Amino acid sequence: MTLLAVTLAAQPVCEVERYTENNGVSSAHVTQLLQDGQGFMWFSTWNGLCRYDGYDFQTFKPQVGDGCHMRTDRIRDINLLPGRLILCQVDEEYYIFDLSNYRFRDVTDGEKRQAEEMKLKYRQSKSLLKGKNYTWTDKHQTQWALQSDGTLTYQHDGQETVYPLPVSSKTLSFVAPDNQGNLWAIDNGSIYRFSTSRQPVSRLAITPAAEVKCLFADSKNHYFVCTKADKTVRVYNSADDKLLGYLAPDGRLHQGYTSFGAAVYCMYEDKDGTLWMGTKPDGLFRLQPIGTDAYKITHFNDMPQTDIYHIQEDRWGRLWVASLGGGIFYTTQQKTEKPHFIVPKQYPKGYERARYLFFTKDDVMMVATGNGLVVSKMERDADKMHFLCHQREPDRRNSLSCSATLDVAEDPQGRYFVSTESGGINLIESNDLLAKELSFRQLSSHLSPLTSDVIQSLTTTKDGGLMAVGSHCITLMDSTLQGRVLDARFFNSDYRFSEAHPLQFKDGSWLFPLTDGAFITTIDQMHQQAYAPRLVLTKIEVRGKRSSWGAERLDTLTLQPQERSVTVHFAALDYSAAAHIIYAFRLSNSEEWNYIGHDRSATLLDLEPGTYTLEIRSTNANGEWQDNIRSLTIIVKPTFWEAWYGQLLIVLLLLGILAGIAYTLLYIRRIKRKHRETLEKYLALIEGSGKRLEVRDEMADDPILERVMQFVEENISNSDAGVGEMAQAAAVSRSGLQRKLKQAMGITPIDLLREARIKRACQLLRQTDKSVSDIAYACGFTDPKYFSRSFKQSTGLSPTEYKNASN
């Protein structure tokens, strides 16, 4: 006798979502609906025109001063016309809403004459009024019908089945499908969305419902489902999923519901075909086959710890056990009536909460514990095994993300992954597993497809992927560690997974453990293609002020010089699962994408002048990145001074300034040289050089300078001669004399008198044998020491040095 174990699969499912004023609909009176060419849903109401992008409702109305004569916002009907126009009936009149600029306008005379005809020609919706029905076939080829009697039905296995609805279709007035396969309907006060799908799993009939702690398949095409609360072991036939019976303490399979008497957490079949069961808290059970469906059961609880979480056999034939509280231990006496279990001598303290054992092909043992990952090279003599411990380290970025490890898996590429209680998955990047310090790369909910950092089990799939099971979802990752997330939306049910490993059958189907049972599905069902949403621009804000609702029509956005900041809003149009989509953007074809999660806007601040390309992309509802990149070219105009001509003008101005400075410096140098030459000429009179007559001739052209030089010659030895006497002799004022000498020689009258006396002193030092003191007095200096300082300041030599140098 066999028992039916699996419920019917692929049941049709219909999700119904209701939208009202609480969700942003502008009015409680909704009159009509349509979908435009960009994919937006539009609804006419008695309070304007509503657009829906899967996230928000946005209302549009005529604005004062926009030239439209629409008196009220009571829109009774809408139809989509060619040319991105929506024909709106307002009471008995017609107006146009232009989707190119999101503005209302009056209809032309030609449009007005054809309004009634166009309204019927381009209507998208169907009426449910006056007892009419609406039927449609979804993408799973299920035929659905909204019946005139107020029920929703579908055809399944040739039978018409009534589907329970949270709303009666008697109240619905118009319905219309969208390009995703959803059906939209309206009544006077609400909008409804009907999204159909198929249940992708088959529930295993487990009664009473209980948490599954272990799934196991043996070599005889049996699989075992072990539940915790009722301590039951159910045995199934892998070929047809039929329940063979309940394993009883006597080792036989009972047809009636029977408890095994211990909560089984793990199972293992050794190379001799003996089954081992680890329980909590009842230790180990050995099941030696007797015939086809019976076992000789031996119970062992004389061991370091009886909370058993995992069992594994090494290549030397030792049976290893991971326990929660006693660490790991082993035995070589599996066939004896009382095997002795031994803890390796060097197993570290503090790592007793062992959950999982993993043996590599190179005989490296990894133990996932509640306090870290323990690694050791396996030895024939287990007491010689040296254990290395790895934990989360506060000052090392590539350490474990969480010390509470749960599972270890190896993918076909030979990479090792460690799952954690709250730190996601850790990829071991070190080539040497026995290194003292392992390097880990974290795959967490913000760095990978994972939507949760709680990873209860890891399993590799036959296609080379990695399956991570969390508490409420499954993540399928490919060899590039990208993938999809299967959650309540995918399963059409809020499943909660247990810590047991999922079980893969030979036909490729999978059995997943739940906290209230289990279900079966296939890899094809888990990889069924999700809807690829179109990504559209919904709004553009420039400097937080200028807004463009008709952003989707734009391929290029030009920013004026004073507009350097812009925010671009966008949405992937998936009306049945928008909340599950995540986004990314990048600027100017940068290789690095900015992952922004569920945010739907990109803000670019203080852009420099130039041309940029903003690229936006999204996932589908299963978390898979799509090739739906939406590009927007952004041109930032420069200010006058940032433009090439402004830059050229700046360069020319700088060159002009530099030229002016150079000219000024040269002019000053030329004037100074002229002053110096003039001074030298006039001082030549003092020395009585051969140019005396030439200088006299030049002085004849300037009588003031002639009188000044005559005064200087006559008063060189007069220590009382000053500026006043010089000005009086030259017949000019003191200020006039100052200006005249500055202009002609670049020096003051006092400086001229001092230079003349130094020149006369030089002459006397060269041509006479007078002492320095006598020469000082002869040249008008009252203090020989002051004379010496002045002489050295002017010539660079002391009077004595000068005299010696001249001889």
Side-chain angles (χ1 to χ4, degrees):
M1 177 181 178
T2 59
L3 304 176
L4 183 63
V6 181
T7 60
L8 294 176
Q11 292 288 335
V13 177
C14 183
E15 174 195 355
V16 182
E17 187 75 21
R18 182 187 181 203
Y19 307 95
T20 66
E21 288 177 294
N22 293 332
N23 305 105
V25 181
S26 60
S27 171
H29 199 97
V30 183
T31 57
Q32 195 51 272
L33 73 161
L34 61 83
Q35 186 176 33
D36 69 16
Q38 307 301 323
F40 293 108
M41 295 299 302
W42 292 88
F43 303 91
S44 58
T45 75
W46 280 24
N47 186 25
L49 192 59
C50 278
R51 185 190 76 178
Y52 184 57
D53 61 8
Y55 298 93
D56 304 310
F57 287 91
Q58 183 64 40
T59 303
F60 299 92
K61 305 177 186 180
Q63 301 299 312
V64 175
D66 63 1
C68 180
H69 291 82
M70 194 166 134
R71 297 183 182 88
T72 74
D73 303 313
R74 192 165 51 244
I75 304 177
R76 297 180 179 274
D77 197 4
I78 53 173
N79 292 277
L80 184 65
L81 306 183
R84 296 172 55 84
L85 305 175
I86 296 180
L87 178 66
C88 302
Q89 180 182 352
V90 182
D91 293 335
E92 301 303 322
E93 299 179 338
Y94 292 94
Y95 298 89
I96 292 292
F97 183 75
D98 193 337
L99 292 173
S100 63
N101 57 18
Y102 275 53
R103 296 183 64 181
F104 286 89
R105 65 169 175 83
D106 296 340
V107 295
T108 64
D109 292 339
E111 292 169 338
K112 188 173 183 179
R113 287 192 298 269
Q114 301 178 44
E116 288 294 332
E117 179 183 346
M118 290 190 297
K119 183 173 71 171
L120 297 176
K121 181 178 179 181
Y122 295 109
R123 182 175 300 285
Q124 292 185 5
S125 64
K126 302 295 182 181
S127 174
L128 288 182
L129 301 174
K130 300 180 180 179
K132 295 180 181 179
N133 303 334
Y134 182 80
T135 61
W136 79 99
T137 302
D138 65 17
K139 62 182 179 181
H140 303 286
Q141 302 305 309
T142 301
Q143 188 177 57
W144 297 80
L146 276 173
Q147 304 286 357
S148 58
D149 62 357
T151 58
L152 176 67
T153 62
Y154 64 90
Q155 295 288 333
H156 185 69
D157 293 337
Q159 295 183 346
E160 185 175 64
T161 304
V162 176
Y163 194 92
L165 277 180
V167 60
S168 172
S169 62
K170 288 181 179 179
T171 65
L172 303 179
S173 54
F174 292 96
V175 295
D178 65 19
N179 55 19
Q180 188 180 350
N182 303 301
L183 183 71
W184 295 82
I186 59 173
D187 62 16
N188 283 338
S190 304
I191 300 169
Y192 298 92
R193 172 179 54 81
F194 299 84
S195 300
T196 62
S197 61
R198 279 185 178 268
Q199 183 64 262
V201 304
S202 303
R203 283 297 297 258
L204 203 63
I206 295 179
T207 304
E211 180 179 2
V212 174
K213 298 301 292 186
C214 177
L215 297 174
F216 179 76
D218 66 11
S219 58
K220 297 181 179 180
N221 293 324
H222 297 159
Y223 67 90
F224 298 73
V225 178
C226 309
T227 52
K228 176 183 177 181
D230 56 358
K231 302 180 180 181
T232 300
V233 177
R234 295 168 173 83
V235 184
Y236 297 83
N237 188 333
S238 299
D240 53 14
D241 296 320
K242 296 297 180 63
L243 178 61
L244 300 178
Y246 298 85
L247 182 63
D250 61 6
R252 294 184 299 111
L253 297 183
H254 292 213
Q255 298 300 305
Y257 176 75
T258 306
S259 174
F260 179 69
V264 178
Y265 275 56
C266 60
M267 290 186 64
Y268 181 76
E269 183 175 8
D270 66 22
K271 59 185 178 182
D272 296 326
T274 299
L275 298 181
W276 294 83
M277 287 182 170
T279 70
K280 180 182 178 181
D282 297 305
L284 279 174
F285 290 82
R286 183 178 63 196
L287 283 67
Q288 295 171 303
I290 302 174
T292 304
D293 296 321
Y295 303 90
K296 176 186 176 182
I297 299 179
T298 308
H299 181 208
F300 308 109
N301 57 12
D302 184 11
M303 56 190 62
Q305 174 58 248
T306 57
D307 292 345
I308 310 302
Y309 269 66
H310 196 221
I311 306 169
Q312 191 78 303
E313 190 176 22
D314 66 18
R315 70 183 182 93
W316 290 285
R318 293 174 298 199
L319 192 72
W320 290 83
V321 178
S323 68
L324 195 70
I328 62 172
F329 44 86
Y330 68 93
T331 183
T332 58
Q333 304 169 353
Q334 295 94 310
K335 297 181 180 181
T336 64
E337 289 300 316
K338 192 176 181 181
H340 178 56
F341 293 93
I342 306 169
V343 177
K345 286 185 178 180
Q346 299 188 53
Y347 188 78
K349 294 183 179 180
Y351 294 85
E352 289 81 8
R353 296 176 60 83
R355 289 177 171 270
Y356 191 77
L357 290 164
F358 185 88
F359 301 158
T360 73
K361 60 181 179 296
D362 298 323
D363 294 327
V364 175
M365 172 193 287
M366 287 187 275
V367 186
T369 78
N371 201 32
L373 181 69
V374 179
V375 183
S376 175
K377 177 69 175 179
M378 300 186 70
E379 304 285 352
R380 181 180 295 275
D381 183 354
D383 288 340
K384 294 182 179 179
M385 292 172 59
H386 176 66
F387 295 89
L388 300 165
C389 304
H390 305 278
Q391 295 180 310
R392 180 187 179 275
E393 301 173 33
D395 299 321
R396 190 163 70 92
R397 294 179 61 87
N398 58 349
S399 67
L400 270 174
S401 60
C402 175
S403 294
T405 57
L406 299 177
D407 201 358
V408 181
E410 180 185 10
D411 72 359
Q413 287 76 40
R415 297 178 296 185
Y416 296 98
F417 300 84
V418 181
S419 71
T420 68
E421 192 175 81
S422 59
I425 301 173
N426 288 258
L427 167 63
I428 301 178
E429 294 189 314
S430 302
N431 294 324
D432 183 8
L433 293 176
L434 298 175
K436 185 177 181 181
E437 188 176 83
L438 290 179
S439 177
F440 298 89
R441 175 158 67 94
Q442 183 184 11
L443 307 176
S444 63
S445 57
H446 66 287
L447 298 171
S448 71
L450 299 175
T451 59
S452 172
D453 290 336
V454 179
I455 307 299
Q456 299 180 151
S457 67
L458 293 174
T459 307
T460 54
T461 59
K462 291 181 179 180
D463 60 358
L466 186 69
M467 180 186 297
V469 181
S471 60
H472 66 285
C473 64
I474 299 170
T475 303
L476 302 176
M477 290 187 285
D478 58 21
S479 59
T480 66
L481 304 182
Q482 297 298 315
R484 57 166 39 196
V485 177
L486 311 180
D487 54 13
R489 183 209 60 80
F490 176 85
F491 294 117
N492 296 303
S493 183
D494 189 15
Y495 290 131
R496 297 290 158 170
F497 297 93
S498 75
E499 295 178 358
H501 282 75
L503 181 63
Q504 185 176 19
F505 298 116
K506 293 180 180 180
D507 63 358
S509 58
W510 286 82
L511 178 62
F512 285 91
L514 304 173
T515 57
D516 61 350
F519 68 71
I520 295 176
T521 187
T522 66
I523 198 70
D524 290 337
Q525 287 175 314
M526 288 190 286
H527 279 286
Q528 62 181 268
Q529 189 62 39
Y531 175 71
R534 178 182 181 182
L535 208 155
V536 298
L537 305 183
T538 58
K539 181 183 177 183
I540 293 177
E541 294 178 286
V542 179
R543 296 187 65 189
K545 298 179 181 179
R546 177 163 67 91
S547 299
S548 174
W549 287 103
E552 178 52 24
R553 65 182 175 84
L554 296 177
D555 291 319
T556 301
L557 174 67
T558 301
L559 301 181
Q560 297 304 314
Q562 70 277 13
E563 299 174 334
R564 294 300 175 88
S565 299
V566 60
T567 298
V568 180
H569 299 262
F570 40 83
L573 299 181
D574 185 336
Y575 292 107
S576 61
H580 296 265
I581 293 175
I582 57 178
Y583 297 88
F585 74 90
R586 64 184 178 184
L587 196 60
S588 295
N589 295 322
S590 169
E591 294 184 0
E592 296 295 328
W593 288 91
N594 297 298
Y595 295 96
I596 55 177
H598 299 292
D599 290 342
R600 293 179 291 112
S601 65
T603 299
L604 310 175
L605 299 174
D606 300 325
L607 292 173
E608 295 292 330
T611 300
Y612 303 86
T613 300
L614 175 66
E615 292 185 329
I616 309 162
R617 67 187 300 206
S618 77
T619 66
N620 59 20
N622 289 342
E624 299 169 298
W625 288 103
Q626 302 295 291
D627 187 20
N628 60 348
I629 295 176
R630 175 64 161 93
S631 298
L632 176 67
T633 300
I634 301 175
I635 300 174
V636 182
K637 287 189 173 183
T639 62
F640 175 83
W641 298 110
E642 291 173 327
W644 68 267
Y645 42 82
Q647 297 288 328
L648 178 60
L649 180 58
I650 291 174
V651 171
L652 293 176
L653 288 174
L654 290 175
L655 290 176
I657 292 172
L658 292 175
I661 293 173
Y663 175 80
T664 301
L665 292 175
L666 290 174
Y667 176 77
I668 292 172
R669 289 181 61 185
R670 187 166 60 250
I671 293 298
K672 286 184 176 181
R673 185 172 64 250
K674 183 178 179 182
H675 288 166
R676 188 169 58 252
E677 291 174 352
T678 303
L679 178 61
E680 291 294 331
K681 288 179 180 180
Y682 284 108
L683 292 177
L685 293 173
I686 306 301
E687 292 184 301
S689 65
K691 296 182 180 181
R692 187 179 183 91
L693 292 177
E694 181 183 342
V695 176
R696 287 288 187 187
D697 292 339
E698 291 182 7
M699 290 177 61
D701 296 333
D702 194 334
I704 295 177
L705 286 181
E706 185 177 4
R707 289 193 292 270
V708 167
M709 293 311 299
Q710 183 178 354
F711 174 83
V712 170
E713 284 187 82
E714 294 174 352
N715 291 276
I716 280 182
S717 61
N718 183 7
S719 60
D720 294 327
V723 176
E725 291 79 2
M726 187 183 295
Q728 186 177 1
V732 295
S733 65
R734 291 171 65 97
S735 59
L737 177 63
Q738 184 89 3
R739 288 193 301 271
K740 185 64 177 178
L741 292 182
K742 274 286 186 182
Q743 182 181 2
M745 303 178 187
I747 60 175
T748 64
I750 293 297
D751 291 335
L752 175 61
L753 189 58
R754 185 179 65 252
E755 289 296 325
R757 287 170 172 168
I758 295 297
K759 282 289 184 182
R760 174 59 60 84
C762 289
Q763 181 185 14
L764 294 175
L765 286 171
R766 289 196 310 270
Q767 298 176 357
T768 69
D769 294 327
K770 293 181 179 182
S771 65
V772 173
S773 298
D774 292 341
I775 293 175
Y777 294 132
C779 294
F781 289 93
T782 59
D783 184 2
K785 292 182 178 179
Y786 174 71
F787 164 70
S788 295
R789 287 196 302 271
S790 299
F791 189 91
K792 188 170 185 178
Q793 183 179 3
S794 178
T795 65
L797 299 173
S798 67
T800 303
E801 292 172 340
Y802 183 85
K803 184 176 182 65
N804 293 334
S806 300
N807 294 329

